[in-house]
C-alpha cells in the first residue's frame, strides 16, 4: 500500500462503509436524566475514519444509507464538509437516520451511559443486494468494521460478501469494534470476518471479552490470515504483526506468531484525555494514512497513536489530525524523545515547532 491522495476524480484511496449517526453530546457531566441540553454532532466508526483520512489529504468515499429526514441531511453535509465523497450514501424513505445520546464520562466507567435509537435505521437495511458494486470497486482500500455486522442479518450478509477473499478485490481493512450491547450473534462471527481481511485492528481487551484470547501473541495465533494485524493495548501502545501476502503454511502459526511475522511494538505517547470515544477509529485512520504513503511499520503505528491523540484531546468523536509535516516530524523522533511526548488539548491547532510539544 503506497502512494498519496488521488489527483483526479476517478481514483479513490479508501472507501469506508458503515453506519453514521447523529450524536448528542451533553452540555455538562452527569446522568442523562440530569443533563439539561445536548450539542449535536456526528459519530460512526467508518465515517470517523473517512473524515480523518480526508482531513489528512486522501481521496475518500463514504458508503452508507440514511433516512430521508433532516438528520440524514445533517450527516451527509457534515461528512462532506471534511472533503469526503458522499455520492455512495443512499436515502431511505421508509427508515430513519440513527441517533444516540451519551454522557460525558469515559466509556470504560460504570457511570457512562449511551442511549441508541438505531433499531430499524436506514443503515441497518444495507445488504448485498442494495449496495451497488460501483460504490466499492476501484478503491485501493475498503475499510469495514464489526459494528456493521451487528446491525442486522442483512448487514451481516453484506459483511460476509465483502470480506470473502476473491481476485481483484480492494485491500480490505477491518476494525473488529466489538460492541456487546449490539451483538446478538456468537462473537466468533467477528473472528471469521477478520480472517478474511488483509489489515485487522483489534483491542487486546475486546479480543479477550469477545473470544477469550489473552495477549497479542494469542490473538495472532487465532488470526494468522491477515497480512497485517494491529493489536491495540491502550495506554501501553500497539503491536503490529506484519508479513508478505499469505502463504500456504500460514495455518502453522503458533503462540509466537506466524513464522514469517515481523513484530513491531510502539508505545503510546502520554495524553491528557478529554474523551476516549472515537480514538480507535482515529488510530485506524492514522495507520492507514501512513500505509497509503508507504511509510515503515513503526511510523504507521506512531501515526496511529498521533491521530488517536488528536481525538482523545477533544470532547467529540472526531479530532483534527495534526498537519502531515508536523506529524511526520513527531513520528521521526528518536525512541527517547518519543517516549517523553506529552500531548494535551490544542496540541494539533497549528504546525508548531517541535519544542512546543511537551517532552516530560
Amino acid at each position: 500500500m503506497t502512494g498519496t491522495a488521488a489527483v483526479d476524480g476517478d481514483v479513490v484511496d479508501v472507501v469506508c462503509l458503515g453506519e453514521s449517526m447523529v450524536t448528542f453530546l451533553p452540555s455538562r457531566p452527569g446522568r442523562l436524566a440530569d443533563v439539561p441540553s445536548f450539542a449535536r454532532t456526528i459519530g460512526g466508526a467508518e465515517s470517523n475514519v473517512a473524515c480523518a483520512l480526508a482531513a489528512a489529504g486522501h481521496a475518500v468515499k463514504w458508503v452508507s444509507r440514511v433516512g430521508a429526514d433532516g438528520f440524514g441531511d445533517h450527516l451527509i453535509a457534515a461528512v462532506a464538509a471534511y472533503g469526503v465523497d458522499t455520492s455512495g450514501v443512499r436515502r431511505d424513505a421508509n427508515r430513519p437516520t440513527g441517533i444516540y445520546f451519551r454522557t460525558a464520562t469515559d466509556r470504560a466507567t460504570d457511570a457512562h451511559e449511551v442511549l441508541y435509537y438505531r433499531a430499524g435505521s436506514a443503515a441497518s437495511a444495507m445488504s448485498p443486494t442494495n449496495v451497488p458494486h460501483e460504490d466499492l470497486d476501484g478503491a485501493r482500500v475498503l475499510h469495514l468494521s464489526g459494528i456493521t455486522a451487528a446491525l442486522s442479518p442483512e448487514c451481516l450478509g453484506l459483511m460476509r460478501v465483502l470480506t470473502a477473499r476473491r481476485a481483484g478485490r480492494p485491500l480490505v481493512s477491518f476494525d473488529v469494534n466489538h460492541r456487546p450491547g449490539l451483538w446478538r450473534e456468537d462473537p466468533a462471527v467477528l473472528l471469521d470476518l477478520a480472517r478474511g481481511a488483509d489489515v485487522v485492528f483489534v483491542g487486546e481487551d475486546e479480543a479477550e471479552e469477545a473470544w477469550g484470547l489473552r495477549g497479542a501473541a494469542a490473538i495472532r495465533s487465532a488470526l494468522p490470515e491477515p497480512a497485517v494485524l494491529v493489536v491495540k493495548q491502550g495506554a501501553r501502545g500497539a503491536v503490529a504483526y506484519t508479513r508478505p501476502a499469505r502463504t500456504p503454511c500460514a495455518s502453522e502459526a503458533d503462540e509466537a506468531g506466524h513464522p514469517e511475522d515481523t513484530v513491531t511494538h510502539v508505545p503510546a505517547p502520554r495524553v491528557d484525555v478529554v474523551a476516549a470515544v472515537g480514538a480507535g477509529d482515529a488510530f485506524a485512520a492514522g495507520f492507514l494514512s501512513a500505509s497509503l504513503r508507504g511509510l515503515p511499520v513503526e511510523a504507521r503505528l506512531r501515526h496511529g497513536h498521533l491521530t488517536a491523540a488528536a481525538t482523545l484531546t477533544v470532547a467529540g468523536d472526531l479530532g483534527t489530525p495534526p498537519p502531515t509535516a508536523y506529524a511526520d516530524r513527531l513520528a521521526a523522533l528518536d525512541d527517547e524523545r518519543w517516549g517523553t511526548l506529552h500531548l494535551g488539548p490544542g496540541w494539533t491547532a497549528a504546525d508548531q515547532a517541535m519544542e512546543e510539544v511537551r517532552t516530560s
Side-chain angles (χ1 to χ4, degrees), residues 3 10 17 28 30 33 51-52 77 90 92 98 137 161-162 186 214 227 232 237 246 259 278 303 308 331 358:
D10 297 325
L17 179 146
R28 71 183 191 196
C51 291
R90 300 297 191 267
D92 190 324
D137 292 342
V161 170
L162 296 180
D186 181 345
R214 292 190 176 185
K232 298 171 290 182
R246 177 172 164 77
H303 277 276
R358 288 175 285 166

PDB file of all heavy atoms in Angstrom, residues 3 10 17 28 30 33 51-52 77 90 92 98 137 161-162 186 214 227 232 237 246 259 278 303 308 331 358:
ATOM      1  N   GLY A   3       1.820   5.293  -2.037  1.00  0.00           N
ATOM      2  CA  GLY A   3       1.281   6.385  -2.816  1.00  0.00           C
ATOM      3  C   GLY A   3       0.636   7.437  -1.952  1.00  0.00           C
ATOM      4  O   GLY A   3       0.681   7.379  -0.738  1.00  0.00           O
ATOM      5  N   ASP A  10     -11.364  10.013 -10.512  1.00  0.00           N
ATOM      6  CA  ASP A  10     -11.649   8.624 -10.809  1.00  0.00           C
ATOM      7  C   ASP A  10     -10.948   7.653  -9.862  1.00  0.00           C
ATOM      8  O   ASP A  10     -11.221   6.458  -9.904  1.00  0.00           O
ATOM      9  CB  ASP A  10     -11.225   8.300 -12.243  1.00  0.00           C
ATOM     10  CG  ASP A  10     -12.007   9.106 -13.272  1.00  0.00           C
ATOM     11  OD1 ASP A  10     -13.202   9.351 -13.028  1.00  0.00           O
ATOM     12  OD2 ASP A  10     -11.424   9.480 -14.291  1.00  0.00           O
ATOM     13  N   LEU A  17     -17.294   1.899   4.553  1.00  0.00           N
ATOM     14  CA  LEU A  17     -18.707   1.515   4.522  1.00  0.00           C
ATOM     15  C   LEU A  17     -19.195   1.253   5.936  1.00  0.00           C
ATOM     16  O   LEU A  17     -18.591   0.477   6.679  1.00  0.00           O
ATOM     17  CB  LEU A  17     -18.899   0.264   3.657  1.00  0.00           C
ATOM     18  CG  LEU A  17     -20.338  -0.281   3.554  1.00  0.00           C
ATOM     19  CD1 LEU A  17     -20.581  -0.883   2.178  1.00  0.00           C
ATOM     20  CD2 LEU A  17     -20.625  -1.338   4.631  1.00  0.00           C
ATOM     21  N   ARG A  28     -22.970  19.122  30.047  1.00  0.00           N
ATOM     22  CA  ARG A  28     -22.225  19.043  31.300  1.00  0.00           C
ATOM     23  C   ARG A  28     -22.160  17.580  31.751  1.00  0.00           C
ATOM     24  O   ARG A  28     -22.939  16.746  31.283  1.00  0.00           O
ATOM     25  CB  ARG A  28     -22.894  19.885  32.378  1.00  0.00           C
ATOM     26  CG  ARG A  28     -24.212  19.319  32.877  1.00  0.00           C
ATOM     27  CD  ARG A  28     -24.882  20.217  33.902  1.00  0.00           C
ATOM     28  NE  ARG A  28     -26.015  19.540  34.548  1.00  0.00           N
ATOM     29  CZ  ARG A  28     -26.940  20.170  35.241  1.00  0.00           C
ATOM     30  NH1 ARG A  28     -26.886  21.485  35.379  1.00  0.00           N
ATOM     31  NH2 ARG A  28     -27.925  19.479  35.810  1.00  0.00           N
ATOM     32  N   GLY A  30     -22.686  14.265  34.128  1.00  0.00           N
ATOM     33  CA  GLY A  30     -23.815  13.820  34.924  1.00  0.00           C
ATOM     34  C   GLY A  30     -24.647  12.784  34.216  1.00  0.00           C
ATOM     35  O   GLY A  30     -24.400  12.444  33.050  1.00  0.00           O
ATOM     36  N   ALA A  33     -30.334  11.633  32.753  1.00  0.00           N
ATOM     37  CA  ALA A  33     -31.576  12.175  33.324  1.00  0.00           C
ATOM     38  C   ALA A  33     -31.405  13.594  33.833  1.00  0.00           C
ATOM     39  O   ALA A  33     -32.388  14.339  33.942  1.00  0.00           O
ATOM     40  CB  ALA A  33     -32.046  11.279  34.465  1.00  0.00           C
ATOM     41  N   CYS A  51     -13.536  10.687   7.605  1.00  0.00           N
ATOM     42  CA  CYS A  51     -13.294  12.112   7.827  1.00  0.00           C
ATOM     43  C   CYS A  51     -11.833  12.376   8.184  1.00  0.00           C
ATOM     44  O   CYS A  51     -11.217  13.346   7.705  1.00  0.00           O
ATOM     45  CB  CYS A  51     -14.210  12.638   8.924  1.00  0.00           C
ATOM     46  SG  CYS A  51     -15.960  12.698   8.467  1.00  0.00           S
ATOM     47  N   ALA A  52     -11.254  11.535   9.026  1.00  0.00           N
ATOM     48  CA  ALA A  52      -9.860  11.728   9.416  1.00  0.00           C
ATOM     49  C   ALA A  52      -8.927  11.531   8.228  1.00  0.00           C
ATOM     50  O   ALA A  52      -7.949  12.277   8.060  1.00  0.00           O
ATOM     51  CB  ALA A  52      -9.496  10.775  10.548  1.00  0.00           C
ATOM     52  N   ALA A  77     -24.108  16.344   4.986  1.00  0.00           N
ATOM     53  CA  ALA A  77     -23.422  17.636   4.887  1.00  0.00           C
ATOM     54  C   ALA A  77     -22.190  17.690   5.787  1.00  0.00           C
ATOM     55  O   ALA A  77     -21.143  18.203   5.396  1.00  0.00           O
ATOM     56  CB  ALA A  77     -24.387  18.766   5.243  1.00  0.00           C
ATOM     57  N   ARG A  90     -27.028   6.373   0.176  1.00  0.00           N
ATOM     58  CA  ARG A  90     -28.385   6.290  -0.353  1.00  0.00           C
ATOM     59  C   ARG A  90     -29.384   6.762   0.701  1.00  0.00           C
ATOM     60  O   ARG A  90     -29.186   6.569   1.893  1.00  0.00           O
ATOM     61  CB  ARG A  90     -28.712   4.847  -0.760  1.00  0.00           C
ATOM     62  CG  ARG A  90     -27.788   4.288  -1.837  1.00  0.00           C
ATOM     63  CD  ARG A  90     -27.904   5.068  -3.140  1.00  0.00           C
ATOM     64  NE  ARG A  90     -27.245   4.406  -4.253  1.00  0.00           N
ATOM     65  CZ  ARG A  90     -25.999   4.618  -4.636  1.00  0.00           C
ATOM     66  NH1 ARG A  90     -25.246   5.468  -3.957  1.00  0.00           N
ATOM     67  NH2 ARG A  90     -25.489   4.009  -5.684  1.00  0.00           N
ATOM     68  N   ASP A  92     -33.179   6.554   2.363  1.00  0.00           N
ATOM     69  CA  ASP A  92     -34.231   5.566   2.571  1.00  0.00           C
ATOM     70  C   ASP A  92     -35.478   6.280   3.067  1.00  0.00           C
ATOM     71  O   ASP A  92     -35.498   6.842   4.166  1.00  0.00           O
ATOM     72  CB  ASP A  92     -33.766   4.524   3.594  1.00  0.00           C
ATOM     73  CG  ASP A  92     -34.698   3.326   3.689  1.00  0.00           C
ATOM     74  OD1 ASP A  92     -35.914   3.502   3.563  1.00  0.00           O
ATOM     75  OD2 ASP A  92     -34.187   2.202   3.910  1.00  0.00           O
ATOM     76  N   GLY A  98     -30.195   6.928  12.205  1.00  0.00           N
ATOM     77  CA  GLY A  98     -29.935   6.586  13.603  1.00  0.00           C
ATOM     78  C   GLY A  98     -29.413   7.778  14.391  1.00  0.00           C
ATOM     79  O   GLY A  98     -28.718   8.648  13.855  1.00  0.00           O
ATOM     80  N   ASP A 137     -16.023  -0.607  -5.966  1.00  0.00           N
ATOM     81  CA  ASP A 137     -14.951  -1.003  -6.868  1.00  0.00           C
ATOM     82  C   ASP A 137     -14.040   0.180  -7.190  1.00  0.00           C
ATOM     83  O   ASP A 137     -14.465   1.332  -7.234  1.00  0.00           O
ATOM     84  CB  ASP A 137     -15.533  -1.567  -8.166  1.00  0.00           C
ATOM     85  CG  ASP A 137     -16.244  -2.892  -7.945  1.00  0.00           C
ATOM     86  OD1 ASP A 137     -15.992  -3.520  -6.898  1.00  0.00           O
ATOM     87  OD2 ASP A 137     -17.051  -3.283  -8.811  1.00  0.00           O
ATOM     88  N   VAL A 161     -19.962 -11.104   2.381  1.00  0.00           N
ATOM     89  CA  VAL A 161     -19.605 -10.960   0.968  1.00  0.00           C
ATOM     90  C   VAL A 161     -18.346 -10.111   0.815  1.00  0.00           C
ATOM     91  O   VAL A 161     -17.424 -10.456   0.060  1.00  0.00           O
ATOM     92  CB  VAL A 161     -20.780 -10.340   0.178  1.00  0.00           C
ATOM     93  CG1 VAL A 161     -20.341  -9.947  -1.229  1.00  0.00           C
ATOM     94  CG2 VAL A 161     -21.947 -11.304   0.123  1.00  0.00           C
ATOM     95  N   LEU A 162     -18.276  -9.001   1.534  1.00  0.00           N
ATOM     96  CA  LEU A 162     -17.177  -8.053   1.357  1.00  0.00           C
ATOM     97  C   LEU A 162     -15.854  -8.565   1.913  1.00  0.00           C
ATOM     98  O   LEU A 162     -14.793  -8.142   1.460  1.00  0.00           O
ATOM     99  CB  LEU A 162     -17.534  -6.711   2.008  1.00  0.00           C
ATOM    100  CG  LEU A 162     -18.722  -5.975   1.393  1.00  0.00           C
ATOM    101  CD1 LEU A 162     -18.976  -4.665   2.121  1.00  0.00           C
ATOM    102  CD2 LEU A 162     -18.498  -5.720  -0.095  1.00  0.00           C
ATOM    103  N   ASP A 186     -22.998 -15.107  17.911  1.00  0.00           N
ATOM    104  CA  ASP A 186     -21.793 -15.588  18.563  1.00  0.00           C
ATOM    105  C   ASP A 186     -20.641 -14.676  18.124  1.00  0.00           C
ATOM    106  O   ASP A 186     -20.418 -14.498  16.913  1.00  0.00           O
ATOM    107  CB  ASP A 186     -21.524 -17.027  18.126  1.00  0.00           C
ATOM    108  CG  ASP A 186     -20.298 -17.627  18.787  1.00  0.00           C
ATOM    109  OD1 ASP A 186     -19.488 -16.889  19.353  1.00  0.00           O
ATOM    110  OD2 ASP A 186     -20.149 -18.867  18.711  1.00  0.00           O
ATOM    111  N   ARG A 214      -6.076 -14.016  25.354  1.00  0.00           N
ATOM    112  CA  ARG A 214      -5.286 -13.143  26.215  1.00  0.00           C
ATOM    113  C   ARG A 214      -3.922 -12.869  25.606  1.00  0.00           C
ATOM    114  O   ARG A 214      -3.136 -13.793  25.396  1.00  0.00           O
ATOM    115  CB  ARG A 214      -5.109 -13.774  27.601  1.00  0.00           C
ATOM    116  CG  ARG A 214      -6.395 -13.865  28.398  1.00  0.00           C
ATOM    117  CD  ARG A 214      -6.120 -14.272  29.829  1.00  0.00           C
ATOM    118  NE  ARG A 214      -7.330 -14.276  30.630  1.00  0.00           N
ATOM    119  CZ  ARG A 214      -7.359 -14.511  31.937  1.00  0.00           C
ATOM    120  NH1 ARG A 214      -6.222 -14.769  32.580  1.00  0.00           N
ATOM    121  NH2 ARG A 214      -8.503 -14.498  32.601  1.00  0.00           N
ATOM    122  N   ALA A 227      -2.410 -10.164   6.464  1.00  0.00           N
ATOM    123  CA  ALA A 227      -1.004  -9.808   6.285  1.00  0.00           C
ATOM    124  C   ALA A 227      -0.546  -8.819   7.342  1.00  0.00           C
ATOM    125  O   ALA A 227       0.639  -8.767   7.687  1.00  0.00           O
ATOM    126  CB  ALA A 227      -0.781  -9.223   4.893  1.00  0.00           C
ATOM    127  N   LYS A 232      -4.181  -3.294  19.590  1.00  0.00           N
ATOM    128  CA  LYS A 232      -4.105  -2.068  20.387  1.00  0.00           C
ATOM    129  C   LYS A 232      -4.114  -2.432  21.867  1.00  0.00           C
ATOM    130  O   LYS A 232      -4.926  -3.232  22.310  1.00  0.00           O
ATOM    131  CB  LYS A 232      -5.273  -1.146  20.040  1.00  0.00           C
ATOM    132  CG  LYS A 232      -5.265  -0.683  18.585  1.00  0.00           C
ATOM    133  CD  LYS A 232      -6.549   0.043  18.207  1.00  0.00           C
ATOM    134  CE  LYS A 232      -7.721  -0.909  18.137  1.00  0.00           C
ATOM    135  NZ  LYS A 232      -8.983  -0.241  17.716  1.00  0.00           N
ATOM    136  N   GLY A 237       0.350   1.090  24.307  1.00  0.00           N
ATOM    137  CA  GLY A 237       0.778   1.224  22.926  1.00  0.00           C
ATOM    138  C   GLY A 237       0.062   0.266  22.006  1.00  0.00           C
ATOM    139  O   GLY A 237      -1.106  -0.085  22.210  1.00  0.00           O
ATOM    140  N   ARG A 246      -0.308 -13.852   2.347  1.00  0.00           N
ATOM    141  CA  ARG A 246      -0.469 -15.171   2.966  1.00  0.00           C
ATOM    142  C   ARG A 246       0.131 -16.275   2.112  1.00  0.00           C
ATOM    143  O   ARG A 246      -0.029 -16.334   0.906  1.00  0.00           O
ATOM    144  CB  ARG A 246      -1.950 -15.446   3.209  1.00  0.00           C
ATOM    145  CG  ARG A 246      -2.237 -16.835   3.780  1.00  0.00           C
ATOM    146  CD  ARG A 246      -3.706 -16.934   4.164  1.00  0.00           C
ATOM    147  NE  ARG A 246      -4.113 -18.323   4.347  1.00  0.00           N
ATOM    148  CZ  ARG A 246      -3.811 -19.039   5.419  1.00  0.00           C
ATOM    149  NH1 ARG A 246      -3.104 -18.511   6.387  1.00  0.00           N
ATOM    150  NH2 ARG A 246      -4.214 -20.280   5.529  1.00  0.00           N
ATOM    151  N   PRO A 259       5.399 -17.777  11.587  1.00  0.00           N
ATOM    152  CA  PRO A 259       6.848 -17.890  11.470  1.00  0.00           C
ATOM    153  C   PRO A 259       7.494 -16.780  10.660  1.00  0.00           C
ATOM    154  O   PRO A 259       8.660 -16.460  10.865  1.00  0.00           O
ATOM    155  CB  PRO A 259       7.027 -19.256  10.776  1.00  0.00           C
ATOM    156  CG  PRO A 259       5.799 -20.025  11.126  1.00  0.00           C
ATOM    157  CD  PRO A 259       4.696 -19.023  11.237  1.00  0.00           C
ATOM    158  N   GLY A 278     -14.065   7.353  19.927  1.00  0.00           N
ATOM    159  CA  GLY A 278     -13.554   7.652  18.595  1.00  0.00           C
ATOM    160  C   GLY A 278     -12.058   7.475  18.443  1.00  0.00           C
ATOM    161  O   GLY A 278     -11.540   7.560  17.321  1.00  0.00           O
ATOM    162  N   HIS A 303       1.965   7.132  13.692  1.00  0.00           N
ATOM    163  CA  HIS A 303       0.917   7.991  13.137  1.00  0.00           C
ATOM    164  C   HIS A 303      -0.456   7.577  13.664  1.00  0.00           C
ATOM    165  O   HIS A 303      -1.328   8.430  13.869  1.00  0.00           O
ATOM    166  CB  HIS A 303       0.947   7.956  11.607  1.00  0.00           C
ATOM    167  CG  HIS A 303       1.956   8.890  11.006  1.00  0.00           C
ATOM    168  ND1 HIS A 303       1.689  10.220  10.784  1.00  0.00           N
ATOM    169  CD2 HIS A 303       3.242   8.696  10.610  1.00  0.00           C
ATOM    170  CE1 HIS A 303       2.753  10.808  10.254  1.00  0.00           C
ATOM    171  NE2 HIS A 303       3.716   9.897  10.139  1.00  0.00           N
ATOM    172  N   ALA A 308      -4.882   9.211  16.989  1.00  0.00           N
ATOM    173  CA  ALA A 308      -5.737   8.888  18.135  1.00  0.00           C
ATOM    174  C   ALA A 308      -5.647   9.981  19.194  1.00  0.00           C
ATOM    175  O   ALA A 308      -6.660  10.370  19.791  1.00  0.00           O
ATOM    176  CB  ALA A 308      -5.330   7.541  18.735  1.00  0.00           C
ATOM    177  N   ALA A 331       6.674  11.698  14.388  1.00  0.00           N
ATOM    178  CA  ALA A 331       6.853  10.263  14.175  1.00  0.00           C
ATOM    179  C   ALA A 331       8.315   9.892  13.965  1.00  0.00           C
ATOM    180  O   ALA A 331       8.700   8.737  14.178  1.00  0.00           O
ATOM    181  CB  ALA A 331       6.024   9.809  12.985  1.00  0.00           C
ATOM    182  N   ARG A 358       5.298  19.229  24.749  1.00  0.00           N
ATOM    183  CA  ARG A 358       5.991  18.868  25.977  1.00  0.00           C
ATOM    184  C   ARG A 358       6.627  17.495  25.859  1.00  0.00           C
ATOM    185  O   ARG A 358       6.023  16.568  25.353  1.00  0.00           O
ATOM    186  CB  ARG A 358       4.987  18.876  27.155  1.00  0.00           C
ATOM    187  CG  ARG A 358       4.559  20.265  27.568  1.00  0.00           C
ATOM    188  CD  ARG A 358       3.489  20.156  28.630  1.00  0.00           C
ATOM    189  NE  ARG A 358       2.226  19.755  28.029  1.00  0.00           N
ATOM    190  CZ  ARG A 358       1.188  19.327  28.733  1.00  0.00           C
ATOM    191  NH1 ARG A 358       1.287  19.182  30.040  1.00  0.00           N
ATOM    192  NH2 ARG A 358       0.064  19.005  28.132  1.00  0.00           N
TER     193      ARG A 358
END
